[in-house]
Amino acid sequence: MIDEWIDGALGTTKPDLVLKNCTIVDVHTLSTYEGDIAIMDEHIVGIGNYSGKKEIDVKGAYVSPGFIDAHIHLESVMVEPSEFVRIASPHGTTTIIADPHEITNVLGLEGIRYMLDATKGLPIYTYIMIPSCVPATPMETSGAELEAYMIEYLIEQKRIIGLAEVMNYPAVINANQSILEKIGAVEQHPIDGHAPDLRGKLLSAYASVGIRSDHECSNPEEAMEKIRKGMFVMIREGSAARNLVDLISVVTPKNHEFFMFATDDTHPHDLLKRGHIDHLVRLAISNGMDPLIALKIAGHNAARYFGIERIGAVAPGYIADLVVIENLNNINVVMTFKRGRLVAKDGQLVEPIAKKEVKIRSSMNVRDFNMDKLKVVAKGERIRVIGVIPGQLITKSLVMNARIKDGYVVPDVERDILKIAVVERHRATGNVGVGFIHGMGIKEGAMATTIAHDSHNIICVGTSDEYMNKAITEVIRIGGGIVLCTDKNIMELPLPIAGLISNLKIEEVADRFNKIVETAHAIGSRLSDPFMTLSFMALPVIPELKITDKGLFDVTDFKFANLFI
Amino acid sequence: MEILPEEIIAAAKGEHPSDIVLKNATIVDVFNLLIFEGDVAIYKNAIVGVDRGYKGRKEIDIRGKFLVPGLFDAHVHPESTMVDFTQTFLHMLRHGTTTVIVDAHEIANVLGLDGIRYVLQTANNLPMNIFLMLPSNVPPSPLETSGATLSAYHLRLFLRDPHVLGLGEVSDYRGVLNKDHSLLTKLNMTRHMIIDGHAPNLVGKELNAYIMAGIRTDHEFHSKDEAREKLRKGLSLIMRFGVGGKNFDYIRDLLTDSNSLHLMLGSSDLNLEFLMNEGHVNKALQELVQEGIDPLVAIRCATLSPAVNYNIKRRGAIAPGFYADLVVFNDLKNFEPILVIANGIIVAKNRELSFSPTFIRPAYRSTMNPPLEISFDCSVLGSRANVILLTSNSLYTKWIKEEVSFTEKVVSDIDRDLLKTAVIGRHTRQGIAIGLIKGFGLKKGAIASSFSHDAHNIVVTGADDFSMKVACDTVIKLDGGIAIANGPKVLAYLDLPFGGILSFDDSKKVREKIREINKTLKMLGSTREDPLTDLTFLTLTSVPELKISDKGLVDVNNRKIVGLFEVS
């Protein structure tokens, strides 16, 4: 209450906690100064010379606002949110803005409820942006539809603060009614963008409907134009896409308030190895950014963009979300305070997170899968083949001679033409899309996963129908996950939560995943992360040739394509 | 925005001609703090594009001119001009100000809720953007009597009005620190909105406590250190440019590219002469630039900063989807406005309005309830008097002690420039308080005014009691206003019938009368530059050091009434 805060600020009653001898990072004036920080319940009530009921002497270390990830798909960490928090909190993260796009495409409203429940009460405060593209496209079968009327309901709920990345930007600039309905449904709330390379009048059209951020900028001119047009730019540095170094030159003291940091996708091994937003701050500083600007981008600007009140500064009236940093060059976070409580110290949580069971239904609903569904009757000799480009999400649309055996088109390991299949798993349609892919490189076996953007059907690639059948059957049996079949054994990482998230510890997930990838390398794949590559082969918005449960899709022509020429 | 998104999208893509296209503009980008060349397409009330090659039903080539977002006055008490709100706002608009954040505590202190209703009624009738901060200080303090009391439950009536942004300047900072319950109720009620501060010289732990009450801005700071501390503690600061002292001096060296989003421009109090002849926010920009501030930084302080700090969405910048509030300036040095567009409508050209506004004239009642008998008799209770000394800044006074040797009653001492001054409680037949001021310089005659900040009782000062009485009687007879008398003769007057503080006459006529009043005061011996303004701030109990109210002399720093004579 105000009267208690006034007393605490005046020092007439002792604040609950005082951080003594701080070097305060002030985001308002971009300067540092010395003082004690007085905290009552979750608020900073004063800066000055205080004594408190409890005192922590930080001995001159820097105290900066807690870090905010402005855009993350928590599903990409492949572990439950509490496991993510166990690692990210000691790295200084106090707030994340999560877009549960993946799980919502699988489980609909139940997916959003899962994210709300599973993040409740954690020492990282999670806000949710409502996925705007569920289903992602009409060319695939997803587990759910999130319509405008549902969005209108969701936006009223606590911790839900806006509409997530409007990635279907062609729909916006073509004034598609369904997307405009969704944008209208959130009214004055933040609406995130996702518009790679959109410039000029088309960008004006996109921004004019109220889309006020973007995390797809890859060059300085593009970022500058987006800011000029009233957007905030999220500088993204994740596991799948990395733009920080390319964008750093565009950030100046004049415009730094319009940038945020975001990871978008964070894989478990990257989180364990590099850290979270602190990694972005380090990378920015080592590439020449003023440390105070980097800390402000990490801890302040996103709160302003999202309209999150009283977060993002070390000043009276703000929530005490703080990081204690010993050195501005290597940003080693030694303490994290969340809402006035010390939650992490020296790389560890102070108190372990109580394990809680979040109930969620099975996401596997496959009808009559059998090996015959993988067969391709040869109706011609020349086939369209998805051409993998290492390290990229885009593919080439190749035309190659089919290997035909007994009237069927079969994989040709010699020429690295493998079979790829997408098995619908949400609505028991029985759909199986089958095609061929070049560039995966495995010589004997099959890989299958239920992580397949954005509808997350089962995607499988293999050197024979038998291997594929084995892998797919195993994925179904374990209720979703990642499976690698070789001539010797089956390796698996079960993802029982929506086929996206494991209930194991993050270290074990990273370990198992790394072993599976190593084995995939051992059987011939030369891609750095063949499962990530595979997971994007079903995304029918990224050129040129992709595959969904409904068949091969030519993204350039934006229509389904026949396998045979 | 009230435009279908598909219409905006089509206009942005250039599929349909826009309503107005400003061609070849040099556009000020307040985000990157850069300028760039382009066409600005306006469709209905929105900016839809800032690219090249737009076609419009109306095209205006402004090659070589600077296109700036419509200017904001972040903090103003519009009553200070003494003319009605419509005229005041229109003078602002023709100088390029399209958004005004009003704290109408003057009229509210006289008329209560009706005063607030009058602001909202005016706001609905003009093409510009008028926002309101609900006055927190009605009455201004327990040290004086005003015409109304606005408690939290009164203010609550207006909380949901789209023009209302929050709570106006909480000038009773002692009340906050003392946890005054009525004040805490108002603060708690508006804690999710914007709350303006007003806390001269408040620093350290007391400042922390004041901020904990929810204060977000301040426009009172009297040193560079104070301003820096307030910025660091998260307050956004308003650089004041109206009458009664600019505070640019304390901010000039602090204002940088990187903190400019926390600094704004606000007039607080404006006099009519300045507003009509010199300009408004554009004039403040000119002065900042003359003082060496980067023009783009100065412009940000008058546009994007207030929009961000007051959470006014889609205003304060020239970008797609923002409202079309724009000013065209010849250059970024003199800031001479040549075209003003508000909400997509061309409202002024070369400082002349280009539309016919609706003038609001609400019904009003008399607010003159002075005591039945007015007497300035005052007994001598000592030999050392507490005297108000005027300073070079109208708002501030010094508290000095003077040896006095009155024979029977307290009277003005012309030779020592000690003028008898009285405040007559005119709202509820209150009492009369007597004080002495030094520095006003009047040699004969007297002036009385029912416009006196912030409680607007009648303030009167003069060389002799009789002239004071005549001046007062004239003000009462006018049903509010300002009058100068010398003996039985009324030398000049201005009638302010609306609440005793505003006139509905043509502003040119009012300006003429104000000029006459100041001229007459100088003729009667006053050496002050703007004696009328000085007089009307003598009663402002929120700014140090010694002031006067209907209850007596006010020790501002200690928030208490002190006697005229020092207790020995």
Side-chain angles (χ1 to χ4, degrees):
Chain A
M1 276 307 301
I2 296 183
D3 49 350
E4 296 168 315
W5 299 333
I6 289 172
D7 285 337
L10 290 171
T12 48
T13 58
K14 276 196 171 182
D16 300 326
L17 173 66
V18 172
L19 306 188
K20 300 287 291 179
N21 305 312
C22 306
T23 303
I24 292 154
V25 172
D26 176 44
V27 295
H28 305 104
T29 59
L30 286 183
S31 62
T32 61
Y33 67 105
E34 274 141 43
D36 303 337
I37 300 170
I39 296 167
M40 279 183 95
D41 55 68
E42 59 184 37
H43 300 272
I44 299 171
V45 296
I47 312 282
N49 187 2
Y50 283 94
S51 57
K53 288 179 196 156
K54 195 179 159 204
E55 296 186 356
I56 297 175
D57 190 346
V58 304
K59 300 190 177 103
Y62 295 92
V63 181
S64 196
F67 300 146
I68 305 170
D69 189 337
H71 177 69
I72 179 171
H73 302 289
L74 267 181
E75 301 92 325
S76 65
V77 198
M78 291 160 65
V79 289
E80 291 170 274
S82 56
E83 272 297 288
F84 163 77
V85 167
R86 182 167 67 81
I87 305 305
S89 176
H91 282 281
T93 305
T94 52
T95 304
I96 57 172
I97 318 297
D99 171 7
H101 170 76
E102 321 296 352
I103 197 167
T104 308
N105 263 294
V106 176
L107 296 174
L109 283 180
E110 196 176 339
I112 294 177
R113 290 205 181 100
Y114 167 82
M115 277 304 176
L116 284 169
D117 290 346
T119 54
K120 200 173 176 178
L122 297 177
I124 290 179
Y125 200 88
T126 305
Y127 291 96
I128 302 283
M129 296 288 279
I130 306 165
S132 63
C133 300
V134 179
T137 69
M139 291 82 75
E140 57 195 313
T141 308
S142 71
E145 285 103 26
L146 207 60
E147 303 290 349
Y149 75 91
M150 300 173 179
I151 291 171
E152 210 149 4
Y153 158 80
L154 287 168
I155 196 70
E156 308 266 296
Q157 310 303 311
K158 196 170 186 263
R159 288 203 283 137
I160 297 186
I161 56 169
L163 190 65
E165 49 177 340
V166 181
M167 59 180 95
N168 195 353
Y169 59 87
V172 176
I173 56 192
N174 292 322
N176 171 293
Q177 295 296 312
S178 153
I179 195 74
L180 295 183
E181 289 265 21
K182 291 177 182 181
I183 288 170
V186 298
E187 270 190 277
Q188 295 294 316
H189 294 81
I191 303 171
D192 281 349
H194 168 118
D197 295 326
L198 198 64
R199 307 285 296 267
K201 288 178 177 171
L202 294 181
L203 176 61
S204 291
Y206 186 68
S208 68
V209 298
I211 297 168
R212 291 271 165 251
S213 75
D214 183 73
H215 57 261
E216 291 289 334
C217 287
S218 53
N219 69 73
E221 294 75 30
E222 182 187 357
M224 189 80 106
E225 182 180 345
K226 282 176 173 167
I227 285 177
R228 179 152 63 73
K229 289 184 171 170
M231 300 176 101
F232 278 65
V233 166
M234 294 177 183
I235 298 177
R236 175 181 56 187
E237 183 76 8
S239 294
R242 299 173 187 186
N243 310 110
L244 191 145
V245 175
D246 292 332
L247 291 180
I248 212 151
S249 66
V250 79
V251 183
T252 67
K254 294 180 177 188
N255 66 11
H256 72 282
E257 308 230 28
F258 307 102
F259 291 91
M260 304 176 255
F261 284 142
T263 58
D264 202 354
D265 285 312
T266 296
H267 294 168
H269 41 276
D270 286 333
L271 182 66
L272 288 169
K273 204 172 82 190
R274 306 189 309 204
H276 187 217
I277 296 298
D278 59 329
H279 165 68
L280 278 70
V281 177
R282 274 190 292 275
L283 191 62
I285 294 171
S286 67
N287 280 279
M289 191 185 280
D290 173 351
L292 298 182
I293 288 182
L295 287 169
K296 180 168 175 179
I297 292 175
H300 175 81
N301 293 355
R304 265 212 11 253
Y305 164 73
F306 286 105
I308 303 171
E309 299 263 304
R310 301 182 200 280
I311 291 273
V314 186
Y318 279 80
I319 302 268
D321 285 1
L322 304 167
V323 290
V324 179
I325 297 163
E326 278 184 340
N327 184 319
L328 285 189
N329 292 316
N330 64 10
I331 306 294
N332 55 329
V333 175
V334 291
M335 284 182 236
T336 308
F337 290 86
K338 178 66 201 170
R339 298 196 166 228
R341 286 177 40 235
L342 178 67
V343 292
K345 196 175 177 217
D346 300 327
Q348 298 287 328
L349 285 184
V350 170
E351 272 177 48
I353 297 165
K355 186 84 183 164
K356 66 173 174 186
E357 212 49 45
V358 181
K359 286 216 160 45
I360 193 155
R361 68 174 162 88
S362 157
S363 65
M364 297 302 275
N365 190 11
V366 180
R367 190 176 78 184
D368 303 338
F369 177 74
N370 58 62
M371 201 161 72
D372 287 348
K373 291 204 171 179
L374 298 173
K375 286 185 173 157
V376 178
V377 177
K379 292 179 188 158
E381 291 184 348
R382 304 267 292 163
I383 54 170
R384 288 191 167 83
V385 174
I386 299 169
V388 171
I389 305 171
Q392 294 199 39
L393 304 184
I394 59 168
T395 61
K396 277 191 208 146
S397 180
L398 307 172
V399 175
M400 300 177 99
N401 288 324
R403 179 172 174 230
I404 298 168
K405 203 174 154 189
D406 306 330
Y408 295 101
V409 183
V410 295
D412 184 349
V413 176
E414 296 283 289
R415 288 189 291 149
D416 191 19
I417 302 172
L418 305 185
K419 194 180 268 185
I420 185 165
V422 175
V423 180
E424 193 277 322
R425 69 161 171 124
H426 303 296
R427 295 164 191 248
T429 57
N431 286 354
V432 179
V434 184
F436 290 86
I437 187 166
H438 172 76
M440 291 302 292
I442 57 174
K443 303 292 181 206
E444 186 161 16
M447 24 194 298
T449 174
T450 43
I451 300 173
H453 300 281
D454 282 332
S455 289
H456 303 290
N457 287 305
I458 302 167
I459 191 162
C460 178
V461 68
T463 57
S464 75
D465 290 358
E466 288 75 16
Y467 279 125
M468 290 174 76
N469 181 43
K470 210 165 152 188
I472 291 166
T473 309
E474 183 63 10
V475 162
I476 296 169
R477 189 189 70 78
I478 62 176
I482 294 171
V483 168
L484 179 65
C485 274
T486 65
D487 55 343
K488 296 188 186 70
N489 60 2
I490 294 187
M491 302 172 78
E492 62 197 35
L493 172 61
L495 302 171
I497 301 164
L500 302 168
I501 298 169
S502 163
N503 50 11
L504 300 172
K505 280 192 165 290
I506 190 169
E507 290 84 356
E508 187 169 352
V509 171
D511 191 45
R512 280 208 198 186
F513 185 77
N514 285 343
K515 284 195 175 122
I516 292 173
V517 170
E518 276 167 28
T519 309
H521 289 155
I523 61 171
S525 179
R526 294 165 127 184
L527 298 167
S528 64
D529 183 348
F531 278 94
M532 185 165 89
T533 304
L534 184 61
S535 73
F536 282 104
M537 290 303 121
L539 187 62
V541 291
I542 297 185
E544 292 175 350
L545 190 64
K546 293 287 166 87
I547 185 165
T548 77
D549 63 304
K550 296 179 180 176
L552 271 184
F553 191 77
D554 183 328
V555 185
T556 318
D557 290 348
F558 222 72
K559 59 180 190 198
F560 285 100
N562 206 319
L563 177 63
F564 298 97
I565 301 291
Chain B
M1 192 123 290
E2 292 118 32
I3 314 174
L4 283 174
E6 46 262 58
E7 289 181 88
I8 299 187
I9 291 167
K13 288 197 287 186
E15 289 174 356
H16 301 313
S18 287
D19 293 325
I20 303 172
V21 175
L22 301 173
K23 304 285 285 182
N24 306 308
T26 304
I27 302 164
V28 171
D29 166 7
V30 290
F31 299 106
N32 289 302
L33 292 181
L34 292 172
I35 53 173
F36 66 101
E37 312 273 313
D39 297 345
V40 171
I42 299 166
Y43 181 76
K44 293 190 179 167
N45 62 3
I47 296 166
V48 294
V50 290
D51 302 85
R52 286 234 171 249
Y54 280 110
K55 297 238 175 309
R57 277 184 274 275
K58 185 180 176 81
E59 294 186 1
I60 306 171
D61 193 322
I62 54 167
R63 187 182 298 276
K65 316 279 188 213
F66 292 84
L67 187 63
V68 168
L71 306 178
F72 284 57
D73 186 338
H75 177 69
V76 64
H77 309 294
E79 301 93 328
S80 299
T81 61
M82 300 186 194
V83 296
D84 64 271
F85 289 169
T86 309
Q87 290 193 78
T88 301
F89 293 143
L90 290 172
H91 284 309
M92 296 175 176
L93 184 60
R94 66 187 177 84
H95 288 107
T97 306
T98 54
T99 302
V100 183
I101 299 172
V102 169
D103 178 352
H105 71 207
E106 319 290 355
I107 195 72
N109 263 302
V110 181
L111 291 175
L113 293 181
D114 283 343
I116 295 177
R117 290 192 184 104
Y118 173 45
V119 183
L120 295 174
Q121 204 183 349
T122 311
N124 281 317
N125 271 283
L126 289 174
M128 59 198 292
N129 319 304
I130 312 289
F131 292 102
L132 177 65
M133 304 302 282
L134 296 171
S136 68
N137 49 354
V138 179
S141 77
L143 307 168
E144 60 205 298
T145 315
S146 65
T149 299
L150 293 184
S151 302
Y153 82 94
H154 294 109
L155 300 179
R156 205 181 290 277
L157 284 179
F158 302 101
L159 274 188
R160 284 168 193 275
D161 188 293
H163 297 97
V164 171
L165 300 177
L167 192 64
E169 51 177 344
V170 181
S171 47
D172 187 9
Y173 55 89
R174 282 288 151 208
V176 175
L177 301 180
N178 294 331
K179 297 178 284 182
D180 174 273
H181 285 188
S182 138
L183 206 43
L184 293 197
T185 308
K186 292 176 194 173
L187 289 160
N188 199 51
M189 178 179 79
T190 48
R191 72 190 188 283
H192 296 302
M193 303 172 83
I194 312 300
I195 304 177
D196 281 338
H198 171 115
N201 301 322
L202 199 69
V203 294
K205 288 184 179 176
E206 292 192 330
L207 177 61
N208 294 342
Y210 185 63
I211 293 170
M212 286 316 293
I215 308 295
R216 307 281 189 96
T217 75
D218 199 0
H219 52 270
E220 292 291 334
F221 38 90
H222 301 288
S223 70
K224 191 176 152 185
D225 287 344
E226 182 187 350
R228 185 196 290 113
E229 179 176 342
K230 284 180 170 170
L231 278 177
R232 279 182 166 163
K233 287 182 173 169
L235 292 178
S236 293
L237 299 185
I238 296 169
M239 299 182 275
R240 203 179 48 205
F241 65 88
V243 292
K246 284 192 273 288
N247 48 21
F248 291 177
D249 285 352
Y250 313 118
I251 223 78
R252 196 184 306 109
D253 303 335
L254 286 179
L255 177 59
T256 64
D257 295 344
S258 60
N259 66 19
S260 48
L261 220 44
H262 303 287
L263 290 155
M264 301 173 267
L265 278 166
S267 61
S268 206
D269 291 290
L270 283 166
N271 72 33
L272 189 60
E273 187 83 36
F274 181 90
L275 179 61
M276 289 180 73
N277 306 345
E278 304 281 325
H280 186 218
V281 181
N282 63 319
K283 184 70 185 171
L285 291 176
Q286 184 194 26
E287 289 182 28
L288 278 178
V289 171
Q290 267 168 13
E291 296 196 8
I293 302 290
D294 174 353
L296 301 184
V297 170
I299 289 168
R300 183 191 264 183
C301 293
T303 55
L304 188 61
S305 293
V308 167
N309 286 297
Y310 285 92
N311 200 14
I312 299 170
K313 297 212 166 117
R314 299 191 178 210
R315 297 199 191 270
I318 303 172
F322 278 58
Y323 289 96
D325 295 340
L326 300 157
V327 204
V328 180
F329 288 114
N330 255 329
D331 55 50
L332 299 185
K333 200 169 136 240
N334 293 315
F335 290 96
E336 183 68 28
I338 52 179
L339 183 70
V340 184
I341 295 175
N343 294 295
I345 300 164
I346 296 176
V347 288
K349 285 180 188 163
N350 300 314
R351 299 221 271 172
E352 296 288 337
L353 291 180
S354 50
F355 73 108
S356 309
T358 321
F359 287 88
I360 301 291
R361 190 167 185 152
Y364 57 89
R365 56 184 161 87
S366 168
T367 56
M368 280 295 148
N369 288 302
L372 294 174
E373 193 163 326
I374 293 174
S375 155
F376 302 118
D377 284 355
C378 178
S379 308
V380 181
L381 296 172
S383 59
R384 263 168 77 85
N386 292 311
V387 173
I388 301 168
L389 175 67
L390 302 184
T391 68
S392 60
N393 175 326
S394 296
L395 265 68
Y396 296 88
T397 62
K398 286 271 177 215
W399 178 357
I400 55 166
K401 316 240 178 193
E402 291 275 305
E403 296 296 331
V404 286
S405 49
F406 301 114
T407 45
E408 229 175 287
K409 300 226 158 105
V410 176
V411 290
S412 294
D413 183 343
I414 307 300
D415 297 336
R416 292 173 64 197
D417 191 21
L418 286 175
L419 294 183
K420 189 167 171 183
T421 300
V423 173
I424 299 130
R426 60 123 167 157
H427 297 296
T428 51
R429 304 199 192 286
Q430 308 115 272
I432 299 174
I434 306 286
L436 288 166
I437 65 168
K438 194 176 173 72
F440 198 67
L442 211 60
K443 297 296 176 204
K444 53 187 175 181
I447 176 166
S449 171
S450 61
F451 186 108
S452 68
H453 297 277
D454 286 332
H456 301 286
N457 288 302
I458 299 171
V459 63
V460 57
T461 192
D464 64 276
D465 283 14
F466 181 56
S467 298
M468 286 167 70
K469 178 85 167 70
V470 173
C472 263
D473 287 345
T474 309
V475 166
I476 293 163
K477 210 156 60 191
L478 289 170
D479 214 5
I482 299 165
I484 300 177
N486 187 13
K489 212 170 156 211
V490 176
L491 303 179
Y493 75 94
L494 166 65
D495 45 332
L496 300 170
F498 190 71
I501 63 172
L502 294 182
S503 166
F504 284 102
D505 281 349
D506 186 295
S507 54
K508 287 200 189 88
K509 202 171 143 195
V510 175
R511 176 176 60 179
E512 208 40 61
K513 286 186 172 180
I514 293 173
R515 280 178 184 167
E516 188 63 30
I517 286 168
N518 273 323
K519 210 172 91 190
T520 308
L521 285 172
K522 285 176 189 174
M523 200 185 72
L524 294 173
S526 178
T527 48
R528 307 288 299 177
E529 196 184 320
D530 185 357
L532 180 58
T533 302
D534 294 332
L535 179 78
T536 62
F537 280 114
L538 278 179
T539 46
L540 181 67
T541 62
S542 59
V543 177
E545 285 175 354
L546 189 65
K547 294 294 176 83
I548 183 167
S549 80
D550 63 312
K551 293 186 176 176
L553 288 173
V554 176
D555 168 359
V556 176
N557 287 325
N558 296 304
R559 307 303 286 172
K560 62 178 191 193
I561 301 286
V562 294
L564 175 56
F565 292 95
E566 195 173 73
V567 186
S568 50

